[in-house]
Amino acid sequence: MISAPPKGAPSEAAPIDYLLHLADNALVLGQRNAEWCGHGPILEEDLALANNSLDLIGQARLIYQHAAALINADEELTQRFAHLTGARQDGQITEDTLAYFRDTAEFRNHTLLELPHHGPLVGYAFAERDYATTIARNFLYSALMVLVWQGLQASGDSQLAGIAAKSLKETRYHLSHASDWLVRFGDGTVESHQRAQAAVDHLLPYCEAFWARHPVEETAVANGSGVCVVNLRDDWNAIVNETLVEATLQRNDTTPHVGYVAQGHVGVHSEHLGFLLAEMQSLARAHPQGVW
């Protein structure tokens, strides 16, 4: 449990929107990966994805707890989030309030993480899920977060630095798992190679949002609580390129990027997030003060 900071939060505390961005990323991908529970291609992978989901949701919980403590300690933030009335304890916001009672436009996750487990223009049937898409997304995101968590270990926000140290260990495993499978797919059969290449081609353009200007991130960097993700781009490219070469896969994204850049991190989401949240939040919203 994250303890509440004293009244008048220290200046090095991370901005709330920065914390929500990190937490929403973890929660949304955790929920997406959990959709494989009971549907994994083999039993071992079913368990691996379930554990991956639990790690991500655990990361989200810790950050939401920290954010809730900061909100409850600040009058201006308390007023900003006054419209969230569910799952409060003694009138105060909790991690569940932030996870289950914010609407789609209030989430700050990257669009990449809310996409279904398949390429564009494909239906939603469980049978059409593509494991190569799941693996490619986990690889691209984990390659980023290994670098982000590494940097956040030195955050001036001591609570966030502690969460980063714990999350880094988990994310290194996620990256290793996804990298191994991407190499197997890419250097496997003709069909597995084609599916892995299609997944990489589909998802890489969404990664351009990692490097988009982000005022909240700039504020976090300025007060010493955040990391400048743009500065991590070369390291991310090195990780991605090394694995793709080993997997005999090609990078077909352009440099510089041409076209639309996804904006989920500023609340402009695809149609997919609404469906994901509707399923994830339905029970909590039906019983807003439920305890089980």
Side-chain angles (χ1 to χ4, degrees), residues 112-150:
L112 170 75
L113 309 176
E114 68 202 38
L115 300 175
H117 302 283
H118 50 63
L121 305 179
V122 180
Y124 281 82
F126 288 165
E128 294 177 334
R129 289 177 181 169
D130 182 7
Y131 203 60
T133 302
T134 300
I135 290 296
R137 170 170 42 207
N138 287 345
F139 165 69
L140 296 169
Y141 176 68
S142 299
L144 173 71
M145 291 311 297
V146 161
L147 301 171
V148 171
W149 291 133
Q150 280 179 345

PDB file of all heavy atoms in Angstrom, residues 112-150:
ATOM      1  N   LEU A 112      -1.678   2.333 -29.096  1.00  0.00           N
ATOM      2  CA  LEU A 112      -1.129   1.009 -29.392  1.00  0.00           C
ATOM      3  C   LEU A 112      -1.675  -0.065 -28.458  1.00  0.00           C
ATOM      4  O   LEU A 112      -1.944  -1.195 -28.887  1.00  0.00           O
ATOM      5  CB  LEU A 112       0.398   1.073 -29.262  1.00  0.00           C
ATOM      6  CG  LEU A 112       1.155  -0.259 -29.291  1.00  0.00           C
ATOM      7  CD1 LEU A 112       1.213  -0.797 -30.720  1.00  0.00           C
ATOM      8  CD2 LEU A 112       2.564  -0.104 -28.717  1.00  0.00           C
ATOM      9  N   LEU A 113      -1.850   0.291 -27.192  1.00  0.00           N
ATOM     10  CA  LEU A 113      -2.151  -0.700 -26.166  1.00  0.00           C
ATOM     11  C   LEU A 113      -3.626  -1.086 -26.124  1.00  0.00           C
ATOM     12  O   LEU A 113      -3.979  -2.094 -25.516  1.00  0.00           O
ATOM     13  CB  LEU A 113      -1.704  -0.167 -24.803  1.00  0.00           C
ATOM     14  CG  LEU A 113      -0.251   0.330 -24.785  1.00  0.00           C
ATOM     15  CD1 LEU A 113       0.097   0.925 -23.440  1.00  0.00           C
ATOM     16  CD2 LEU A 113       0.709  -0.783 -25.154  1.00  0.00           C
ATOM     17  N   GLU A 114      -4.487  -0.292 -26.735  1.00  0.00           N
ATOM     18  CA  GLU A 114      -5.924  -0.587 -26.695  1.00  0.00           C
ATOM     19  C   GLU A 114      -6.399  -1.344 -27.935  1.00  0.00           C
ATOM     20  O   GLU A 114      -7.548  -1.784 -28.003  1.00  0.00           O
ATOM     21  CB  GLU A 114      -6.720   0.718 -26.576  1.00  0.00           C
ATOM     22  CG  GLU A 114      -6.653   1.612 -27.802  1.00  0.00           C
ATOM     23  CD  GLU A 114      -6.979   3.072 -27.519  1.00  0.00           C
ATOM     24  OE1 GLU A 114      -6.567   3.569 -26.448  1.00  0.00           O
ATOM     25  OE2 GLU A 114      -7.641   3.696 -28.352  1.00  0.00           O
ATOM     26  N   LEU A 115      -5.526  -1.521 -28.923  1.00  0.00           N
ATOM     27  CA  LEU A 115      -5.928  -2.173 -30.168  1.00  0.00           C
ATOM     28  C   LEU A 115      -6.260  -3.647 -29.921  1.00  0.00           C
ATOM     29  O   LEU A 115      -5.677  -4.277 -29.047  1.00  0.00           O
ATOM     30  CB  LEU A 115      -4.811  -2.062 -31.203  1.00  0.00           C
ATOM     31  CG  LEU A 115      -4.382  -0.645 -31.595  1.00  0.00           C
ATOM     32  CD1 LEU A 115      -3.185  -0.713 -32.538  1.00  0.00           C
ATOM     33  CD2 LEU A 115      -5.529   0.106 -32.252  1.00  0.00           C
ATOM     34  N   PRO A 116      -7.168  -4.216 -30.707  1.00  0.00           N
ATOM     35  CA  PRO A 116      -7.483  -5.646 -30.578  1.00  0.00           C
ATOM     36  C   PRO A 116      -6.285  -6.505 -30.989  1.00  0.00           C
ATOM     37  O   PRO A 116      -5.300  -6.017 -31.532  1.00  0.00           O
ATOM     38  CB  PRO A 116      -8.659  -5.844 -31.551  1.00  0.00           C
ATOM     39  CG  PRO A 116      -9.156  -4.475 -31.866  1.00  0.00           C
ATOM     40  CD  PRO A 116      -7.989  -3.555 -31.725  1.00  0.00           C
ATOM     41  N   HIS A 117      -6.409  -7.806 -30.758  1.00  0.00           N
ATOM     42  CA  HIS A 117      -5.307  -8.734 -31.040  1.00  0.00           C
ATOM     43  C   HIS A 117      -5.295  -9.163 -32.508  1.00  0.00           C
ATOM     44  O   HIS A 117      -5.203 -10.350 -32.822  1.00  0.00           O
ATOM     45  CB  HIS A 117      -5.429  -9.983 -30.161  1.00  0.00           C
ATOM     46  CG  HIS A 117      -5.426  -9.681 -28.697  1.00  0.00           C
ATOM     47  ND1 HIS A 117      -4.302  -9.377 -27.981  1.00  0.00           N
ATOM     48  CD2 HIS A 117      -6.453  -9.644 -27.798  1.00  0.00           C
ATOM     49  CE1 HIS A 117      -4.596  -9.166 -26.713  1.00  0.00           C
ATOM     50  NE2 HIS A 117      -5.902  -9.311 -26.582  1.00  0.00           N
ATOM     51  N   HIS A 118      -5.423  -8.237 -33.403  1.00  0.00           N
ATOM     52  CA  HIS A 118      -5.353  -8.590 -34.821  1.00  0.00           C
ATOM     53  C   HIS A 118      -5.099  -7.326 -35.632  1.00  0.00           C
ATOM     54  O   HIS A 118      -5.155  -6.204 -35.092  1.00  0.00           O
ATOM     55  CB  HIS A 118      -6.622  -9.287 -35.304  1.00  0.00           C
ATOM     56  CG  HIS A 118      -7.899  -8.562 -34.942  1.00  0.00           C
ATOM     57  ND1 HIS A 118      -8.194  -7.309 -35.411  1.00  0.00           N
ATOM     58  CD2 HIS A 118      -8.930  -8.924 -34.160  1.00  0.00           C
ATOM     59  CE1 HIS A 118      -9.365  -6.932 -34.939  1.00  0.00           C
ATOM     60  NE2 HIS A 118      -9.831  -7.887 -34.163  1.00  0.00           N
ATOM     61  N   GLY A 119      -4.857  -7.510 -36.909  1.00  0.00           N
ATOM     62  CA  GLY A 119      -4.595  -6.381 -37.774  1.00  0.00           C
ATOM     63  C   GLY A 119      -5.859  -5.609 -38.102  1.00  0.00           C
ATOM     64  O   GLY A 119      -6.933  -5.905 -37.575  1.00  0.00           O
ATOM     65  N   PRO A 120      -5.738  -4.597 -38.958  1.00  0.00           N
ATOM     66  CA  PRO A 120      -6.900  -3.778 -39.304  1.00  0.00           C
ATOM     67  C   PRO A 120      -7.915  -4.535 -40.147  1.00  0.00           C
ATOM     68  O   PRO A 120      -7.592  -5.519 -40.810  1.00  0.00           O
ATOM     69  CB  PRO A 120      -6.267  -2.630 -40.111  1.00  0.00           C
ATOM     70  CG  PRO A 120      -5.028  -3.215 -40.690  1.00  0.00           C
ATOM     71  CD  PRO A 120      -4.509  -4.196 -39.662  1.00  0.00           C
ATOM     72  N   LEU A 121      -9.165  -4.065 -40.088  1.00  0.00           N
ATOM     73  CA  LEU A 121     -10.234  -4.571 -40.950  1.00  0.00           C
ATOM     74  C   LEU A 121     -10.496  -6.055 -40.750  1.00  0.00           C
ATOM     75  O   LEU A 121     -10.782  -6.802 -41.676  1.00  0.00           O
ATOM     76  CB  LEU A 121      -9.911  -4.307 -42.427  1.00  0.00           C
ATOM     77  CG  LEU A 121      -9.617  -2.839 -42.785  1.00  0.00           C
ATOM     78  CD1 LEU A 121      -9.289  -2.714 -44.266  1.00  0.00           C
ATOM     79  CD2 LEU A 121     -10.791  -1.946 -42.419  1.00  0.00           C
ATOM     80  N   VAL A 122     -10.384  -6.505 -39.494  1.00  0.00           N
ATOM     81  CA  VAL A 122     -10.687  -7.892 -39.154  1.00  0.00           C
ATOM     82  C   VAL A 122     -11.740  -7.879 -38.067  1.00  0.00           C
ATOM     83  O   VAL A 122     -11.787  -6.959 -37.258  1.00  0.00           O
ATOM     84  CB  VAL A 122      -9.412  -8.623 -38.667  1.00  0.00           C
ATOM     85  CG1 VAL A 122      -9.725 -10.067 -38.302  1.00  0.00           C
ATOM     86  CG2 VAL A 122      -8.332  -8.558 -39.735  1.00  0.00           C
ATOM     87  N   GLY A 123     -12.579  -8.906 -38.033  1.00  0.00           N
ATOM     88  CA  GLY A 123     -13.672  -8.954 -37.073  1.00  0.00           C
ATOM     89  C   GLY A 123     -13.198  -9.163 -35.655  1.00  0.00           C
ATOM     90  O   GLY A 123     -12.001  -9.226 -35.371  1.00  0.00           O
ATOM     91  N   TYR A 124     -14.157  -9.278 -34.741  1.00  0.00           N
ATOM     92  CA  TYR A 124     -13.840  -9.354 -33.321  1.00  0.00           C
ATOM     93  C   TYR A 124     -13.956 -10.764 -32.751  1.00  0.00           C
ATOM     94  O   TYR A 124     -13.813 -10.958 -31.549  1.00  0.00           O
ATOM     95  CB  TYR A 124     -14.762  -8.431 -32.525  1.00  0.00           C
ATOM     96  CG  TYR A 124     -14.322  -6.989 -32.611  1.00  0.00           C
ATOM     97  CD1 TYR A 124     -14.677  -6.205 -33.707  1.00  0.00           C
ATOM     98  CD2 TYR A 124     -13.529  -6.423 -31.628  1.00  0.00           C
ATOM     99  CE1 TYR A 124     -14.268  -4.890 -33.797  1.00  0.00           C
ATOM    100  CE2 TYR A 124     -13.123  -5.108 -31.711  1.00  0.00           C
ATOM    101  CZ  TYR A 124     -13.490  -4.352 -32.794  1.00  0.00           C
ATOM    102  OH  TYR A 124     -13.088  -3.039 -32.887  1.00  0.00           O
ATOM    103  N   ALA A 125     -14.254 -11.761 -33.581  1.00  0.00           N
ATOM    104  CA  ALA A 125     -14.442 -13.114 -33.063  1.00  0.00           C
ATOM    105  C   ALA A 125     -13.165 -13.612 -32.392  1.00  0.00           C
ATOM    106  O   ALA A 125     -12.057 -13.317 -32.838  1.00  0.00           O
ATOM    107  CB  ALA A 125     -14.834 -14.055 -34.195  1.00  0.00           C
ATOM    108  N   PHE A 126     -13.336 -14.370 -31.296  1.00  0.00           N
ATOM    109  CA  PHE A 126     -12.176 -14.905 -30.591  1.00  0.00           C
ATOM    110  C   PHE A 126     -11.283 -15.689 -31.549  1.00  0.00           C
ATOM    111  O   PHE A 126     -10.068 -15.662 -31.447  1.00  0.00           O
ATOM    112  CB  PHE A 126     -12.630 -15.825 -29.458  1.00  0.00           C
ATOM    113  CG  PHE A 126     -13.237 -15.088 -28.298  1.00  0.00           C
ATOM    114  CD1 PHE A 126     -13.978 -15.766 -27.344  1.00  0.00           C
ATOM    115  CD2 PHE A 126     -13.081 -13.717 -28.138  1.00  0.00           C
ATOM    116  CE1 PHE A 126     -14.536 -15.105 -26.264  1.00  0.00           C
ATOM    117  CE2 PHE A 126     -13.628 -13.037 -27.076  1.00  0.00           C
ATOM    118  CZ  PHE A 126     -14.366 -13.743 -26.138  1.00  0.00           C
ATOM    119  N   ALA A 127     -11.917 -16.413 -32.502  1.00  0.00           N
ATOM    120  CA  ALA A 127     -11.156 -17.265 -33.406  1.00  0.00           C
ATOM    121  C   ALA A 127     -10.240 -16.458 -34.319  1.00  0.00           C
ATOM    122  O   ALA A 127      -9.322 -17.015 -34.927  1.00  0.00           O
ATOM    123  CB  ALA A 127     -12.111 -18.115 -34.246  1.00  0.00           C
ATOM    124  N   GLU A 128     -10.481 -15.153 -34.443  1.00  0.00           N
ATOM    125  CA  GLU A 128      -9.675 -14.325 -35.333  1.00  0.00           C
ATOM    126  C   GLU A 128      -8.540 -13.623 -34.613  1.00  0.00           C
ATOM    127  O   GLU A 128      -7.800 -12.844 -35.214  1.00  0.00           O
ATOM    128  CB  GLU A 128     -10.579 -13.308 -36.039  1.00  0.00           C
ATOM    129  CG  GLU A 128     -11.559 -13.981 -36.987  1.00  0.00           C
ATOM    130  CD  GLU A 128     -12.505 -12.985 -37.647  1.00  0.00           C
ATOM    131  OE1 GLU A 128     -12.740 -11.934 -37.033  1.00  0.00           O
ATOM    132  OE2 GLU A 128     -12.980 -13.267 -38.738  1.00  0.00           O
ATOM    133  N   ARG A 129      -8.391 -13.861 -33.313  1.00  0.00           N
ATOM    134  CA  ARG A 129      -7.252 -13.291 -32.597  1.00  0.00           C
ATOM    135  C   ARG A 129      -5.960 -13.853 -33.166  1.00  0.00           C
ATOM    136  O   ARG A 129      -5.870 -15.035 -33.499  1.00  0.00           O
ATOM    137  CB  ARG A 129      -7.336 -13.636 -31.109  1.00  0.00           C
ATOM    138  CG  ARG A 129      -8.417 -12.910 -30.365  1.00  0.00           C
ATOM    139  CD  ARG A 129      -8.451 -13.379 -28.920  1.00  0.00           C
ATOM    140  NE  ARG A 129      -9.503 -12.715 -28.181  1.00  0.00           N
ATOM    141  CZ  ARG A 129      -9.892 -13.081 -26.976  1.00  0.00           C
ATOM    142  NH1 ARG A 129      -9.325 -14.109 -26.374  1.00  0.00           N
ATOM    143  NH2 ARG A 129     -10.851 -12.422 -26.363  1.00  0.00           N
ATOM    144  N   ASP A 130      -4.978 -12.979 -33.252  1.00  0.00           N
ATOM    145  CA  ASP A 130      -3.689 -13.361 -33.827  1.00  0.00           C
ATOM    146  C   ASP A 130      -2.610 -13.213 -32.748  1.00  0.00           C
ATOM    147  O   ASP A 130      -2.330 -12.090 -32.304  1.00  0.00           O
ATOM    148  CB  ASP A 130      -3.387 -12.463 -35.030  1.00  0.00           C
ATOM    149  CG  ASP A 130      -2.083 -12.828 -35.708  1.00  0.00           C
ATOM    150  OD1 ASP A 130      -1.484 -13.858 -35.330  1.00  0.00           O
ATOM    151  OD2 ASP A 130      -1.668 -12.087 -36.615  1.00  0.00           O
ATOM    152  N   TYR A 131      -2.018 -14.328 -32.346  1.00  0.00           N
ATOM    153  CA  TYR A 131      -1.038 -14.279 -31.263  1.00  0.00           C
ATOM    154  C   TYR A 131       0.205 -13.494 -31.672  1.00  0.00           C
ATOM    155  O   TYR A 131       0.876 -12.903 -30.829  1.00  0.00           O
ATOM    156  CB  TYR A 131      -0.643 -15.694 -30.837  1.00  0.00           C
ATOM    157  CG  TYR A 131      -0.097 -15.768 -29.434  1.00  0.00           C
ATOM    158  CD1 TYR A 131      -0.877 -15.373 -28.357  1.00  0.00           C
ATOM    159  CD2 TYR A 131       1.187 -16.230 -29.185  1.00  0.00           C
ATOM    160  CE1 TYR A 131      -0.389 -15.424 -27.063  1.00  0.00           C
ATOM    161  CE2 TYR A 131       1.684 -16.283 -27.891  1.00  0.00           C
ATOM    162  CZ  TYR A 131       0.887 -15.878 -26.833  1.00  0.00           C
ATOM    163  OH  TYR A 131       1.385 -15.927 -25.558  1.00  0.00           O
ATOM    164  N   ALA A 132       0.527 -13.488 -32.953  1.00  0.00           N
ATOM    165  CA  ALA A 132       1.687 -12.708 -33.407  1.00  0.00           C
ATOM    166  C   ALA A 132       1.479 -11.219 -33.122  1.00  0.00           C
ATOM    167  O   ALA A 132       2.432 -10.510 -32.776  1.00  0.00           O
ATOM    168  CB  ALA A 132       1.917 -12.926 -34.899  1.00  0.00           C
ATOM    169  N   THR A 133       0.252 -10.735 -33.262  1.00  0.00           N
ATOM    170  CA  THR A 133      -0.035  -9.329 -32.952  1.00  0.00           C
ATOM    171  C   THR A 133       0.171  -9.056 -31.472  1.00  0.00           C
ATOM    172  O   THR A 133       0.754  -8.029 -31.092  1.00  0.00           O
ATOM    173  CB  THR A 133      -1.487  -8.989 -33.363  1.00  0.00           C
ATOM    174  OG1 THR A 133      -1.649  -9.249 -34.756  1.00  0.00           O
ATOM    175  CG2 THR A 133      -1.810  -7.533 -33.076  1.00  0.00           C
ATOM    176  N   THR A 134      -0.307  -9.960 -30.635  1.00  0.00           N
ATOM    177  CA  THR A 134      -0.121  -9.809 -29.182  1.00  0.00           C
ATOM    178  C   THR A 134       1.363  -9.756 -28.835  1.00  0.00           C
ATOM    179  O   THR A 134       1.808  -8.897 -28.064  1.00  0.00           O
ATOM    180  CB  THR A 134      -0.789 -10.986 -28.452  1.00  0.00           C
ATOM    181  OG1 THR A 134      -2.184 -10.982 -28.758  1.00  0.00           O
ATOM    182  CG2 THR A 134      -0.595 -10.888 -26.949  1.00  0.00           C
ATOM    183  N   ILE A 135       2.131 -10.693 -29.385  1.00  0.00           N
ATOM    184  CA  ILE A 135       3.558 -10.762 -29.079  1.00  0.00           C
ATOM    185  C   ILE A 135       4.293  -9.522 -29.599  1.00  0.00           C
ATOM    186  O   ILE A 135       5.136  -8.947 -28.900  1.00  0.00           O
ATOM    187  CB  ILE A 135       4.168 -12.041 -29.679  1.00  0.00           C
ATOM    188  CG1 ILE A 135       3.645 -13.270 -28.923  1.00  0.00           C
ATOM    189  CG2 ILE A 135       5.690 -11.992 -29.663  1.00  0.00           C
ATOM    190  CD1 ILE A 135       4.053 -13.323 -27.457  1.00  0.00           C
ATOM    191  N   ALA A 136       3.988  -9.098 -30.817  1.00  0.00           N
ATOM    192  CA  ALA A 136       4.668  -7.930 -31.388  1.00  0.00           C
ATOM    193  C   ALA A 136       4.387  -6.682 -30.554  1.00  0.00           C
ATOM    194  O   ALA A 136       5.276  -5.870 -30.306  1.00  0.00           O
ATOM    195  CB  ALA A 136       4.218  -7.724 -32.832  1.00  0.00           C
ATOM    196  N   ARG A 137       3.137  -6.517 -30.107  1.00  0.00           N
ATOM    197  CA  ARG A 137       2.805  -5.349 -29.274  1.00  0.00           C
ATOM    198  C   ARG A 137       3.539  -5.404 -27.944  1.00  0.00           C
ATOM    199  O   ARG A 137       4.111  -4.398 -27.510  1.00  0.00           O
ATOM    200  CB  ARG A 137       1.304  -5.273 -29.009  1.00  0.00           C
ATOM    201  CG  ARG A 137       0.975  -4.221 -27.951  1.00  0.00           C
ATOM    202  CD  ARG A 137      -0.484  -3.918 -27.791  1.00  0.00           C
ATOM    203  NE  ARG A 137      -1.325  -5.096 -27.820  1.00  0.00           N
ATOM    204  CZ  ARG A 137      -2.595  -5.062 -28.214  1.00  0.00           C
ATOM    205  NH1 ARG A 137      -3.123  -3.940 -28.625  1.00  0.00           N
ATOM    206  NH2 ARG A 137      -3.323  -6.163 -28.198  1.00  0.00           N
ATOM    207  N   ASN A 138       3.550  -6.571 -27.298  1.00  0.00           N
ATOM    208  CA  ASN A 138       4.247  -6.686 -26.020  1.00  0.00           C
ATOM    209  C   ASN A 138       5.737  -6.398 -26.188  1.00  0.00           C
ATOM    210  O   ASN A 138       6.371  -5.799 -25.309  1.00  0.00           O
ATOM    211  CB  ASN A 138       4.042  -8.077 -25.430  1.00  0.00           C
ATOM    212  CG  ASN A 138       2.634  -8.275 -24.888  1.00  0.00           C
ATOM    213  OD1 ASN A 138       1.895  -7.308 -24.705  1.00  0.00           O
ATOM    214  ND2 ASN A 138       2.260  -9.509 -24.647  1.00  0.00           N
ATOM    215  N   PHE A 139       6.296  -6.824 -27.312  1.00  0.00           N
ATOM    216  CA  PHE A 139       7.709  -6.570 -27.578  1.00  0.00           C
ATOM    217  C   PHE A 139       7.976  -5.073 -27.733  1.00  0.00           C
ATOM    218  O   PHE A 139       8.884  -4.517 -27.082  1.00  0.00           O
ATOM    219  CB  PHE A 139       8.145  -7.324 -28.837  1.00  0.00           C
ATOM    220  CG  PHE A 139       9.458  -6.869 -29.398  1.00  0.00           C
ATOM    221  CD1 PHE A 139      10.642  -7.113 -28.728  1.00  0.00           C
ATOM    222  CD2 PHE A 139       9.505  -6.169 -30.593  1.00  0.00           C
ATOM    223  CE1 PHE A 139      11.853  -6.672 -29.228  1.00  0.00           C
ATOM    224  CE2 PHE A 139      10.710  -5.731 -31.107  1.00  0.00           C
ATOM    225  CZ  PHE A 139      11.888  -5.974 -30.422  1.00  0.00           C
ATOM    226  N   LEU A 140       7.202  -4.399 -28.563  1.00  0.00           N
ATOM    227  CA  LEU A 140       7.431  -2.974 -28.831  1.00  0.00           C
ATOM    228  C   LEU A 140       7.241  -2.127 -27.572  1.00  0.00           C
ATOM    229  O   LEU A 140       8.013  -1.203 -27.303  1.00  0.00           O
ATOM    230  CB  LEU A 140       6.497  -2.497 -29.941  1.00  0.00           C
ATOM    231  CG  LEU A 140       6.716  -3.142 -31.320  1.00  0.00           C
ATOM    232  CD1 LEU A 140       5.566  -2.796 -32.261  1.00  0.00           C
ATOM    233  CD2 LEU A 140       8.043  -2.701 -31.915  1.00  0.00           C
ATOM    234  N   TYR A 141       6.217  -2.440 -26.793  1.00  0.00           N
ATOM    235  CA  TYR A 141       5.943  -1.669 -25.572  1.00  0.00           C
ATOM    236  C   TYR A 141       6.958  -1.989 -24.475  1.00  0.00           C
ATOM    237  O   TYR A 141       7.452  -1.090 -23.790  1.00  0.00           O
ATOM    238  CB  TYR A 141       4.524  -1.958 -25.085  1.00  0.00           C
ATOM    239  CG  TYR A 141       4.184  -1.276 -23.779  1.00  0.00           C
ATOM    240  CD1 TYR A 141       4.052   0.111 -23.716  1.00  0.00           C
ATOM    241  CD2 TYR A 141       4.002  -2.011 -22.607  1.00  0.00           C
ATOM    242  CE1 TYR A 141       3.742   0.743 -22.522  1.00  0.00           C
ATOM    243  CE2 TYR A 141       3.691  -1.389 -21.413  1.00  0.00           C
ATOM    244  CZ  TYR A 141       3.559  -0.016 -21.369  1.00  0.00           C
ATOM    245  OH  TYR A 141       3.263   0.614 -20.184  1.00  0.00           O
ATOM    246  N   SER A 142       7.293  -3.266 -24.304  1.00  0.00           N
ATOM    247  CA  SER A 142       8.254  -3.636 -23.254  1.00  0.00           C
ATOM    248  C   SER A 142       9.628  -3.039 -23.544  1.00  0.00           C
ATOM    249  O   SER A 142      10.344  -2.651 -22.612  1.00  0.00           O
ATOM    250  CB  SER A 142       8.359  -5.160 -23.138  1.00  0.00           C
ATOM    251  OG  SER A 142       7.122  -5.723 -22.785  1.00  0.00           O
ATOM    252  N   ALA A 143      10.004  -2.984 -24.825  1.00  0.00           N
ATOM    253  CA  ALA A 143      11.296  -2.378 -25.181  1.00  0.00           C
ATOM    254  C   ALA A 143      11.343  -0.925 -24.741  1.00  0.00           C
ATOM    255  O   ALA A 143      12.398  -0.419 -24.320  1.00  0.00           O
ATOM    256  CB  ALA A 143      11.520  -2.483 -26.691  1.00  0.00           C
ATOM    257  N   LEU A 144      10.209  -0.227 -24.822  1.00  0.00           N
ATOM    258  CA  LEU A 144      10.156   1.152 -24.345  1.00  0.00           C
ATOM    259  C   LEU A 144      10.201   1.215 -22.828  1.00  0.00           C
ATOM    260  O   LEU A 144      10.962   1.980 -22.234  1.00  0.00           O
ATOM    261  CB  LEU A 144       8.873   1.827 -24.847  1.00  0.00           C
ATOM    262  CG  LEU A 144       8.621   3.231 -24.279  1.00  0.00           C
ATOM    263  CD1 LEU A 144       9.613   4.234 -24.867  1.00  0.00           C
ATOM    264  CD2 LEU A 144       7.194   3.680 -24.531  1.00  0.00           C
ATOM    265  N   MET A 145       9.371   0.392 -22.170  1.00  0.00           N
ATOM    266  CA  MET A 145       9.209   0.532 -20.720  1.00  0.00           C
ATOM    267  C   MET A 145      10.425   0.062 -19.939  1.00  0.00           C
ATOM    268  O   MET A 145      10.644   0.517 -18.812  1.00  0.00           O
ATOM    269  CB  MET A 145       7.950  -0.210 -20.267  1.00  0.00           C
ATOM    270  CG  MET A 145       6.661   0.447 -20.738  1.00  0.00           C
ATOM    271  SD  MET A 145       6.577   2.240 -20.407  1.00  0.00           S
ATOM    272  CE  MET A 145       6.628   2.281 -18.614  1.00  0.00           C
ATOM    273  N   VAL A 146      11.218  -0.850 -20.492  1.00  0.00           N
ATOM    274  CA  VAL A 146      12.481  -1.193 -19.837  1.00  0.00           C
ATOM    275  C   VAL A 146      13.328   0.067 -19.697  1.00  0.00           C
ATOM    276  O   VAL A 146      13.935   0.323 -18.641  1.00  0.00           O
ATOM    277  CB  VAL A 146      13.232  -2.287 -20.629  1.00  0.00           C
ATOM    278  CG1 VAL A 146      14.704  -2.314 -20.249  1.00  0.00           C
ATOM    279  CG2 VAL A 146      12.607  -3.647 -20.367  1.00  0.00           C
ATOM    280  N   LEU A 147      13.356   0.878 -20.731  1.00  0.00           N
ATOM    281  CA  LEU A 147      14.140   2.112 -20.707  1.00  0.00           C
ATOM    282  C   LEU A 147      13.500   3.161 -19.795  1.00  0.00           C
ATOM    283  O   LEU A 147      14.194   3.874 -19.066  1.00  0.00           O
ATOM    284  CB  LEU A 147      14.281   2.660 -22.126  1.00  0.00           C
ATOM    285  CG  LEU A 147      14.961   1.717 -23.132  1.00  0.00           C
ATOM    286  CD1 LEU A 147      14.847   2.274 -24.553  1.00  0.00           C
ATOM    287  CD2 LEU A 147      16.425   1.503 -22.763  1.00  0.00           C
ATOM    288  N   VAL A 148      12.175   3.256 -19.836  1.00  0.00           N
ATOM    289  CA  VAL A 148      11.482   4.251 -18.997  1.00  0.00           C
ATOM    290  C   VAL A 148      11.639   3.922 -17.514  1.00  0.00           C
ATOM    291  O   VAL A 148      11.979   4.781 -16.695  1.00  0.00           O
ATOM    292  CB  VAL A 148       9.991   4.318 -19.381  1.00  0.00           C
ATOM    293  CG1 VAL A 148       9.209   5.183 -18.379  1.00  0.00           C
ATOM    294  CG2 VAL A 148       9.822   4.891 -20.784  1.00  0.00           C
ATOM    295  N   TRP A 149      11.417   2.652 -17.162  1.00  0.00           N
ATOM    296  CA  TRP A 149      11.537   2.280 -15.741  1.00  0.00           C
ATOM    297  C   TRP A 149      12.976   2.443 -15.258  1.00  0.00           C
ATOM    298  O   TRP A 149      13.218   2.815 -14.117  1.00  0.00           O
ATOM    299  CB  TRP A 149      11.076   0.834 -15.517  1.00  0.00           C
ATOM    300  CG  TRP A 149       9.605   0.583 -15.682  1.00  0.00           C
ATOM    301  CD1 TRP A 149       9.023  -0.439 -16.388  1.00  0.00           C
ATOM    302  CD2 TRP A 149       8.509   1.317 -15.106  1.00  0.00           C
ATOM    303  NE1 TRP A 149       7.651  -0.369 -16.300  1.00  0.00           N
ATOM    304  CE2 TRP A 149       7.316   0.692 -15.531  1.00  0.00           C
ATOM    305  CE3 TRP A 149       8.428   2.438 -14.292  1.00  0.00           C
ATOM    306  CZ2 TRP A 149       6.054   1.169 -15.154  1.00  0.00           C
ATOM    307  CZ3 TRP A 149       7.172   2.911 -13.918  1.00  0.00           C
ATOM    308  CH2 TRP A 149       6.004   2.278 -14.341  1.00  0.00           C
ATOM    309  N   GLN A 150      13.936   2.139 -16.134  1.00  0.00           N
ATOM    310  CA  GLN A 150      15.333   2.359 -15.762  1.00  0.00           C
ATOM    311  C   GLN A 150      15.562   3.819 -15.373  1.00  0.00           C
ATOM    312  O   GLN A 150      16.174   4.119 -14.353  1.00  0.00           O
ATOM    313  CB  GLN A 150      16.260   1.997 -16.929  1.00  0.00           C
ATOM    314  CG  GLN A 150      16.522   0.513 -17.084  1.00  0.00           C
ATOM    315  CD  GLN A 150      17.420   0.193 -18.279  1.00  0.00           C
ATOM    316  OE1 GLN A 150      17.629   1.038 -19.149  1.00  0.00           O
ATOM    317  NE2 GLN A 150      17.923  -1.022 -18.336  1.00  0.00           N
TER     318      GLN A 150
END
